[in-house]
């Protein structure tokens, strides 16, 4: 049955299995698809730290599908994992599987995305998205010269990060009456979806001056659509701090992004999981915010894999 | 796919259920219309609900807890700045507060006196530059006088406020905005904004360790201008 599960996992669920089949010291790491380098960086950071601390790891992806995530939790429970490190597939949809894991004695450590309850996860370590969005919003306003028409691409509706970043952007941008939003759409964090949405937005609004995006993959999609339409000079700002956007900033494409310390957050979650496994507590508050850093052409060179190099 | 990862006995019901849930999920209508024509304040922000009333929350604790807390915990700003100028981390350890260490800036509860040597009311995030006693004619710090107040220093310096006690980041952000709004309506809106230059000022407030700023930016909780 274990082999069957593994077989199904590899073939059907696009999983990476990197451990012996023992739950003894198993840490299960679940994130959205590694197509987005942000989530890949989380998985890599968590896996590296877990191995350093002597754990076996099972790295899984839920592809932002709550049903699939639920199945992955069952896998983790069946395998008797010591802890689950999770970037979840929905602030509300994640609560039920986390309850099952808790009942089975498996603690969850959330990274990047929070859930709307406390007391279920041992830790929820998230970027300070509001602080970061205000940094990005302020930079966008400056780049726009405080006036002009702009578009906002919002993230996935089931993710509180989509809401909080949009809130942060608007709390800044809406102070400037000469900045006019002509379109606001969700592209679900997705690069191809952002490309398509942007294409049709450009047709309806050929004179837009700026695009502010809830993450970097949507910024990449928007930038590609703008370039294809001969509008490569439109001001695009993202959020995440990916190497792709860094390279675009250095090449004069996208103008700015906001670095989330994704790699470090994933490692912190593993460290706290290890402390919890050993001592039954972490001595830290459950919900922890990590400040973000504005990235533009002045400091983009120092950015590498979701961390600043000194 | 689902068959292989399902559990033997309840296989069919699981498949049926998951298909049903999947069908429901794929029927969810994602709002996709252009909301850009709506006025400020009418934008839908996911997860913002009326269940939490941050203004009422703040009003309930402002006079009873927040102002007394600042009166009790604030330290002479000149003491803090003398260490801060040399080593921000050392100043943090000696005078600062933060709920947790990694990835969070220090917050400093401070009080002081001085004179207002410049006034910036062109920006909606207005500030006054304050030359602390003993004076040398140059601003040692700026005090935010609104209406737009930046930073979340008030929220983040209160030991009885923890992110864990709030549903999500949206609530926590709205809480900070409500604190800043309270400062504006209760304290700063009473200032005579046109006649601040050259006046003496005393204040109790908070400043936060920020990335790449020149002068520390104090959010006042109490301010008196003579």
């Amino acid at each position: 049955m274990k082999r069957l599960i593994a077989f199904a996992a590899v073939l059907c669920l696009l999983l990476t299995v990197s451990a012996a089949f023992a739950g003894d010291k198993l840490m299960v790491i679940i994130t959205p698809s590694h197509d987005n380098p942000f989530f890949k960086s989380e998985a890599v950071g968590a896996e590296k730290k877990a191995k350093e601390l002597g754990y076996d790891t099972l790295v899984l992806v839920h592809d932002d599908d709550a049903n699939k995530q639920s199945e992955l939790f069952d896998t983790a429970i069946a395998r008797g994992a010591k802890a689950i490190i999770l970037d979840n597939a929905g602030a509300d949809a994640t609560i039920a599987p986390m309850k099952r894991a808790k009942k089975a004695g498996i603690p969850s450590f959330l990274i990047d995305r929070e859930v709307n309850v406390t007391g279920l996860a041992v830790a929820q370590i998230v970027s300070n998205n509001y602080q970061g969005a205000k940094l990005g919003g302020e930079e966008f306003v400056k780049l726009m010269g405080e006036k002009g028409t702009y578009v906002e691409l919002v993230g996935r509706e089931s993710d509180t990060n989509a809401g909080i970043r949009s809130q942060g952007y608007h709390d800044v941008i809406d102070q400037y009456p000469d900045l006019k939003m002509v379109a606001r759409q969700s592209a679900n964090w997705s690069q191809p979806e952002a490309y398509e949405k942007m294409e049709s937005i450009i047709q309806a609004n050929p004179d837009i001056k700026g695009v502010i995006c809830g993450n970097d993959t949507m910024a990449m999609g928007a930038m590609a659509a703008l370039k294809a339409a001969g509008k490569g000079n439109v001001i695009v700002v993202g959020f995440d701090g990916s190497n792709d956007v860094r390279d675009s900033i250095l090449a004069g494409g996208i103008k700015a992004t906001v670095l989330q310390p994704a790699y470090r957050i994933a490692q912190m979650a593993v460290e706290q999981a290890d402390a919890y496994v050993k001592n039954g507590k972490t001595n830290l508050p459950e919900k922890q915010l990590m400040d973000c850093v504005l990235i533009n052409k002045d400091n983009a060179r120092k950015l590498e894999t979701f961390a600043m190099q000194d | 796919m689902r068959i292989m990862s399902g559990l033997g006995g309840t296989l069919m019901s699981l498949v049926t259920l998951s298909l049903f849930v999947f069908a429901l999920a794929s029927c969810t209508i994602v709002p996709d219309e252009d909301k850009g024509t709506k006025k400020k304040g009418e934008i839908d922000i996911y997860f913002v609900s009326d269940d939490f009333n941050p203004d009422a929350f703040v009003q309930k604790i402002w006079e009873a807890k927040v102002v007394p807390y600042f009166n009790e915990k604030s330290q002479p700003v000149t003491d803090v700045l003398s260490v801060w100028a040399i080593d921000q981390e050392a100043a943090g350890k000696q005078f600062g507060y933060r709920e947790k260490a990694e990835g969070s800036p220090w917050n400093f509860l401070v009080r002081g006196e001085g004179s207002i040597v410049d006034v910036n009311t062109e920006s909606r995030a207005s500030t006054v530059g304050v030359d602390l006693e003993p004076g040398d004619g140059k601003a040692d710090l700026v005090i935010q006088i609104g209406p737009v107040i930046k930073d979340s220093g008030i929220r983040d310096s209160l030991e009885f406020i923890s992110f864990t006690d709030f549903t999500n980041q949206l609530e926590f952000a709205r809480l900070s905005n409500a604190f800043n709004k309270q400062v504006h309506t209760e304290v700063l809106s009473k200032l005579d904004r046109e006649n601040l230059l050259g006046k003496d000022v005393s204040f109790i407030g908070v400043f936060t360790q920020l990335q790449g700023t020149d002068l520390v930016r104090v959010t006042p909780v109490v301010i008196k201008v003579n």
Side-chain angles (χ1 to χ4, degrees):
Chain A
M1 190 59 189
K2 279 176 183 168
R3 284 183 184 283
L4 195 63
I5 289 170
F7 183 68
V10 172
L11 279 185
C12 303
L13 301 174
L14 301 171
L15 315 173
T16 316
V17 178
S18 58
F21 291 107
D24 246 25
K25 290 211 75 179
L26 179 68
M27 222 178 259
V28 174
I29 299 158
I30 307 174
T31 70
S33 164
H34 294 185
D35 288 352
N36 183 338
F38 182 87
F39 302 122
K40 183 169 185 198
S41 170
E42 288 180 338
V44 169
E47 185 175 30
K48 185 156 178 271
K49 179 59 73 178
K51 287 193 164 152
E52 271 171 36
L53 294 170
Y55 290 89
D56 297 324
T57 55
L58 176 60
V59 178
L60 310 171
V61 296
H62 56 56
D63 288 329
D64 281 301
D65 175 345
N67 297 321
K68 186 186 275 189
Q69 174 179 266
S70 183
E71 291 168 2
L72 300 180
F73 262 78
D74 290 338
T75 304
I77 293 166
R79 296 275 298 274
K82 287 288 173 203
I84 296 171
I85 309 295
L86 173 69
D87 190 343
N88 74 72
D92 296 319
T94 303
I95 290 167
M98 274 174 64
K99 277 186 179 157
R100 287 206 305 279
K102 192 178 180 183
K103 208 173 161 192
I106 304 171
S108 298
F109 297 79
L110 270 53
I111 53 175
D112 174 41
R113 299 173 180 173
E114 59 189 326
V115 292
N116 289 322
V117 293
T118 49
L120 197 49
V122 174
Q124 302 190 46
I125 314 170
V126 298
S127 297
N128 194 340
N129 285 279
Y130 189 67
Q131 171 260 352
K134 287 180 101 170
L135 286 177
E138 278 163 15
E139 184 75 359
F140 184 70
V141 168
K142 203 160 84 181
L143 289 161
M144 294 284 287
E146 302 188 7
K147 57 177 187 281
T149 53
Y150 74 97
V151 172
E152 183 190 5
L153 293 181
V154 192
R156 188 182 294 275
E157 195 175 4
S158 64
D159 183 351
T160 50
N161 287 340
I164 188 71
R165 289 177 201 164
S166 186
Q167 181 83 64
Y169 288 156
H170 283 283
D171 282 352
V172 173
I173 296 169
D174 294 355
Q175 307 290 340
Y176 299 88
D178 294 334
L179 282 167
K180 305 256 189 253
M181 186 167 73
V182 294
R184 178 176 189 259
Q185 293 191 17
S186 172
N188 291 307
W189 304 132
S190 152
Q191 187 161 337
E193 199 172 329
Y195 187 94
E196 285 169 25
K197 294 259 162 91
M198 201 65 226
E199 270 187 323
S200 54
I201 292 170
I202 294 167
Q203 284 175 1
N205 308 276
D207 296 326
I208 47 169
K209 187 173 164 192
V211 183
I212 191 157
C213 305
N215 80 344
D216 273 356
T217 45
M218 294 193 297
M220 292 295 290
M223 192 75 235
L226 288 161
K227 276 193 175 154
K231 296 179 186 298
N233 57 348
V234 169
I235 293 155
V236 178
V237 168
F239 197 110
D240 280 345
S242 71
N243 286 0
D244 289 343
V245 166
R246 172 200 65 195
D247 295 343
S248 179
I249 289 172
L250 293 174
I254 290 169
K255 294 294 184 292
T257 185
V258 177
L259 168 66
Q260 303 190 66
Y263 190 84
R264 180 63 199 136
I265 285 176
Q267 295 209 315
M268 284 170 72
V270 173
E271 288 165 7
Q272 292 178 25
D274 179 54
Y276 189 83
V277 167
K278 286 175 177 154
N279 312 317
K281 57 184 178 182
T282 65
N283 291 326
L284 284 162
E286 176 186 332
K287 297 186 83 165
Q288 303 163 41
L289 289 174
M290 295 281 285
D291 268 17
C292 302
V293 180
L294 178 72
I295 303 293
N296 56 24
K297 62 176 172 19
D298 298 334
N299 63 355
R301 230 166 275 283
K302 289 185 184 170
L303 177 62
E304 175 59 48
T305 322
F306 301 98
M308 293 302 272
Q309 312 294 317
D310 289 323
Chain B
M1 284 183 262
R2 291 180 188 284
I3 291 169
M4 296 185 81
S5 53
L7 295 169
T10 54
L11 189 70
M12 281 318 290
S13 57
L14 264 181
V15 169
T16 312
L17 182 66
S18 62
L19 284 176
F20 179 66
V21 171
F22 196 75
L24 270 184
S26 56
C27 286
T28 306
I29 294 161
V30 179
D32 211 12
E33 70 273 23
D34 176 7
K35 290 174 183 153
T37 52
K38 290 197 176 182
K39 286 179 194 153
K40 182 195 161 194
E42 289 185 333
I43 293 166
D44 272 352
I45 301 286
Y46 310 146
F47 291 102
V48 167
S49 76
D50 295 332
D51 298 347
F52 176 59
N53 183 339
D55 292 340
F57 184 97
V58 167
Q59 277 157 24
K60 204 170 157 190
I61 61 170
W62 185 257
E63 289 294 340
K65 289 181 88 172
V66 179
V67 176
Y69 180 90
F70 270 80
N71 277 322
E72 184 198 331
K73 302 257 181 182
S74 58
Q75 303 169 83
V77 68
T78 43
D79 292 359
V80 177
L81 289 183
S82 63
V83 183
W84 167 270
I86 301 160
D87 185 343
Q88 294 188 3
E89 277 305 306
K93 282 176 191 142
Q94 193 176 346
F95 300 106
Y97 172 74
R98 54 187 178 186
E99 192 189 4
K100 61 164 190 64
E102 188 171 346
S104 302
W106 289 105
N107 301 284
F108 298 89
L109 286 84
V110 292
R111 59 189 137 86
E113 299 91 37
S115 56
I116 295 173
V117 291
D118 59 66
V119 178
N120 168 18
T121 48
E122 272 178 33
S123 163
R124 279 176 58 77
S126 300
T127 56
V128 292
V130 176
D131 177 21
L132 296 169
E133 293 172 358
D136 61 358
K138 284 186 289 193
D140 300 301
L141 54 82
V142 299
I143 297 180
Q144 306 199 73
I145 57 167
V148 174
I149 297 174
K150 297 182 175 178
D151 314 331
S152 51
I154 298 177
R155 179 195 69 189
D156 295 341
S157 58
L158 298 171
E159 288 171 27
F160 51 86
I161 296 286
S162 172
F163 178 33
T164 303
D165 297 332
F166 295 85
T167 303
N168 54 39
Q169 293 175 74
L170 288 127
E171 276 195 3
F172 204 49
R174 288 167 71 210
L175 177 68
S176 177
N177 291 342
F179 275 120
N180 292 350
K181 188 173 143 195
Q182 178 79 3
V183 165
H184 180 250
T185 52
E186 289 302 310
V187 182
L188 298 170
S189 64
K190 291 164 185 162
L191 292 177
D192 179 6
R193 289 169 68 93
E194 305 309 314
N195 292 296
L196 292 171
L197 194 63
K199 296 280 170 66
D200 290 335
V201 62
S202 65
F203 62 91
I204 299 174
V206 56
F207 76 88
T208 301
Q209 181 184 24
L210 296 170
Q211 298 152 14
T213 48
D214 323 322
L215 288 179
V216 301
R217 182 162 73 199
V218 173
T219 309
V221 168
V222 177
I223 189 166
K224 290 196 181 81
V225 176
N226 300 308

